[in-house]
Structures are given as C-alpha cells and as structure tokens.
Amino acid sequence: MTDVRPTAGAESGVLHTLFRTDQGGHEQVVLCQDRESGLKAVIALHSTALGPALGGTRFHAYASDEEAVRDALNLSRGMSYKNALAGLDHGGGKAVIIGDPDLIKTEELLLAYGRFVASLGGRYVTACDVGTYVRDMDVIARENRWTTGRSPENGGAGDSSVLTAFGVFQGMRAAARTQWGEPTLRGRRVGVAGVGKVGHHLVEHLVEDGAEVVITDVRAEAVERITARHPQVTAVTDADVLIRTPLDVYAPCALGGALNDETVAALTATVVCGAANNQLAHPGVEKNLADRGILYAPDYVVNAGGVIQVADELHGFDFDRAKAKATKIYDTTLAIFDRAKSDGIPPAAAADRLAEQRMAEARAVR
C-alpha cells in the first residue's frame, strides 16, 4: 500500500475546497494506491461527531483524479447530514474507487481497498454505492471488518437499495401530502430518471400506489426490465426529454447534479423527490426551485433508507426493525417542509439547519 500526494493542479483546486470553503471542513481525507492491483481510491471522512463515519464506496470512471476527490468530499459531507437526520449514531464518510468497474474491478483490487479501510481502525464503515454490489462487500469484508451491505449468508443485510427506494417513496408521500393534501401518488404522473438498483424498486412502489409512471435510463436493458413487467409504464429517450414531459413529480435516481439552472427552468413537475445524491448542481438551485413553486424533498433526507439498513447490520440485522425506522422518513420530511414554511426558507436549507443542530449538540456533549 502506498500513500500518494495530489498533483500541483489538484492542490490549487481540491485543497482550496477542503481547507478554505464551506464545502470543506472534513476531518480526514485519505488517498490510496495499490499499484499491483491497479487500485486508486479516495476515502473522505467529513465528520465523526455522532459516531464512526458511515457511507458507501462508489466505483466510477471519473474524468480526472481531481473530480474523484471532489466527489468524495461532496458525498461524504452529504452523508454527515443524511445520517444526522436519519437519527443514526454515525458521522459522514464516503469512498470512491477511480476507474471503470467493468474493466478494472478484480478480487485483488477489492481486497487492497479493504486493507486501506481497515487501516482507519473503525473510523470509517463502508457499504455499497454506484458501481459496487453486495458481492463486492463480501470480498472487502475479508480484509475489513467494518464493512456493511454484505450478503445474508455472510451475516449482512443484503441489497440496501430495497429500503433506499422505500424511504424515497415515504418522502414522496410526504411531498404529496404537503402539495396536494393527501399522502398518495394515486393518479399522479411521476417521472423516474434512472431505473437501476434503486429506481426499479421505486417504480414498484409507485405502480402499487396507483401512479402513472414514465421512466428513462441510459441502459436499454434497465428500461426493458421495467416495461416487460409493467406494460403500463412508458419510457422516453433521455432525462432531457423526461423533465420536459408533463409531470406531477420528477424523481432523479441516477448520478448527482440533475438539478441545475437549465433543468429547473424546464421542469414541468411541481414536486422533485428522488434517490440520487447531490441533486443540486450548485448553491442557489434550491431557491430557483422554490421561486418556481416546485417543492423539493432534500435528497439526503429521503434517500436515507439504505444507510438505515446498513447501520442496522452492525447490530445484527433485522429487516422489520430497519424498515420501521425508514418509515419515519415520512415524518422527517414533513417536519422539514413545516420548518421551511415557518422560517421562510427552502426545504434544503431547513434540512441543513436541523442536521447541523444535531451535529453541534453532539460536539457540545463530547
């Protein structure tokens, strides 16, 4: 295992973010390299005020190493807020492995990554994210006991996307109650962008609830899996078409940054509630949504079902117990909408205030 330093270009950008902006403030960032296996990874610990940092491992072909570090910083910060509002005794952390998982993912690489996580001595607990799966966590766990999202046969909770989608659905029900007076999507038209690990479970909840569902995904096979099972679900070619399609609810469930100046201006939906992390492309987008009368359910609030599931695994997994806790996402989302209304601020700002309050109280006690 070899520690590596960022390039001079990364220092001028990433280190400025880390040390000199509100998006930084991280306790620890670890750059990892194992040349034999080809591993290059970043582990970012934003906060351990509430307990050991908990967050998934993303495996993605980034355009640059600096982009990978920035993603780790943003995602780990989001995990601190997510875990705080989920009521978990965990801080926020996230890891990214750099590269195309279809090309470079091997057992040797995952084991090397597991050794890096283990070297943190329990300050970071990892799990699945985009590009990593239950079977990968089983491999990583051979070198690192602070691994969740393992298979049931290996003592784990299995696929965390099940409760992630369930939590998003609870948040969507809360948004429907706030916007239309009833906590149901029956008769509403919902557009789901990304029907992969989480999105396809969300579609199941929506169909069962009586919603009219429109989907899109960059992978044709993902779309075909949904339309074959539910012929009443319609598909459009891409997310740009979807946001311009007449909708009541838009659910971004792929990668982050889906909500920017252009997409917000084009949205037809009056509710945004989805599973993707870091949906707001930049500060100020939340105000743009509010100015257009679009109710935004903060992503890290509604997509917390997965982290609730993997956190429960640390105590001997009980699905019913974890699902009961994920059900409370409905109440938390309602409380955020109420706080936003009373304070005259967007829901994203209200959620941040509540999360920061819990973290500050924990620091004061410690």
Side-chain angles (χ1 to χ4, degrees):
M1 298 189 293
T2 305
D3 289 331
V4 295
R5 297 178 180 272
T7 65
E11 289 181 0
S12 64
V14 171
L15 292 188
H16 175 80
T17 299
L18 181 62
F19 292 136
R20 302 181 186 278
T21 75
D22 291 340
Q23 296 301 311
H26 293 66
E27 294 179 10
Q28 186 176 8
V29 179
V30 181
L31 304 182
C32 315
Q33 181 171 244
D34 180 75
R35 292 189 175 181
E36 290 187 6
S37 65
L39 172 73
K40 289 200 301 180
V42 183
I43 303 172
L45 307 186
H46 177 262
S47 171
T48 57
L50 294 170
L54 172 61
T57 297
R58 178 165 294 188
F59 205 142
H60 183 65
Y62 291 92
S64 68
D65 293 345
E66 180 171 330
E67 181 184 323
V69 178
R70 289 190 185 280
D71 202 28
L73 296 179
N74 290 333
L75 291 167
S76 60
R77 182 175 184 271
M79 289 304 304
S80 288
Y81 285 69
K82 179 187 295 189
N83 292 341
L85 285 183
L88 300 176
D89 295 326
H90 285 282
K94 203 80 171 188
V96 300
I97 299 176
I98 303 169
D100 187 338
D102 291 334
L103 298 178
I104 71 167
K105 185 193 294 182
T106 63
E107 183 177 278
E108 291 73 21
L109 183 147
L110 294 173
L111 290 172
Y113 169 69
R115 290 192 290 273
F116 275 109
V117 178
S119 73
L120 296 173
R123 280 173 52 79
Y124 171 57
V125 181
T126 196
C128 299
D129 196 78
V130 174
T132 58
Y133 302 86
V134 170
R135 61 182 179 272
D136 299 326
M137 295 304 112
D138 284 342
V139 174
I140 292 166
R142 286 158 49 189
E143 290 284 359
N144 173 51
R145 64 189 180 94
W146 295 284
T147 303
T148 60
R150 296 164 295 153
S151 64
E153 55 267 30
N154 283 286
D159 184 6
S160 63
S161 63
V162 174
L163 286 188
T164 302
F166 178 74
V168 172
F169 181 63
Q170 297 309 312
M172 201 177 289
R173 290 179 61 243
R177 176 179 167 180
T178 301
Q179 196 78 326
W180 302 301
E182 295 290 336
T184 179
L185 283 305
R186 181 170 297 279
R188 301 292 173 185
R189 198 174 199 205
V190 182
V192 182
V195 287
K197 287 199 293 186
V198 175
H200 87 274
H201 289 298
L202 178 60
V203 169
E204 296 291 335
H205 291 299
L206 292 168
V207 169
E208 184 178 354
D209 196 38
E212 179 185 352
V213 182
V214 187
I215 63 172
T216 191
D217 197 290
V218 295
R219 296 160 302 148
E221 63 272 19
V223 172
E224 290 165 2
R225 175 174 62 171
I226 298 293
T227 54
R229 180 175 172 84
H230 301 291
Q232 72 272 35
V233 171
T234 58
V236 296
T237 53
D238 56 43
D240 287 339
V241 173
L242 184 64
I243 62 172
R244 291 170 172 80
T245 299
L247 301 171
D248 295 301
V249 181
Y250 175 57
C253 294
L255 295 177
L259 301 173
N260 55 41
D261 296 336
E262 180 181 346
T263 56
V264 170
L267 271 173
T268 62
T270 56
V271 168
V272 174
C273 179
N277 288 309
N278 297 327
Q279 293 171 23
L280 304 179
H282 60 79
V285 175
E286 70 279 7
K287 185 178 184 302
N288 295 343
L289 288 163
D291 288 347
R292 288 205 58 213
I294 299 171
L295 182 64
Y296 171 63
D299 48 40
Y300 70 80
V301 177
V302 302
N303 67 14
V307 75
I308 289 171
Q309 178 170 326
V310 297
D312 192 85
E313 183 178 326
L314 296 171
H315 308 286
F317 183 62
D318 183 289
F319 183 81
D320 291 336
R321 179 177 62 199
K323 185 176 182 181
K325 194 158 191 174
T327 302
K328 296 178 182 178
I329 290 173
Y330 174 84
D331 297 317
T332 302
T333 308
L334 281 181
I336 287 165
F337 291 150
D338 289 343
R339 175 72 177 266
K341 184 177 181 181
S342 64
D343 289 1
I345 57 177
D352 286 354
R353 287 184 182 181
L354 289 170
E356 288 162 0
Q357 179 180 335
R358 183 171 183 234
M359 287 186 280
E361 290 170 351
R363 291 189 193 98
V365 170
R366 293 177 68 181

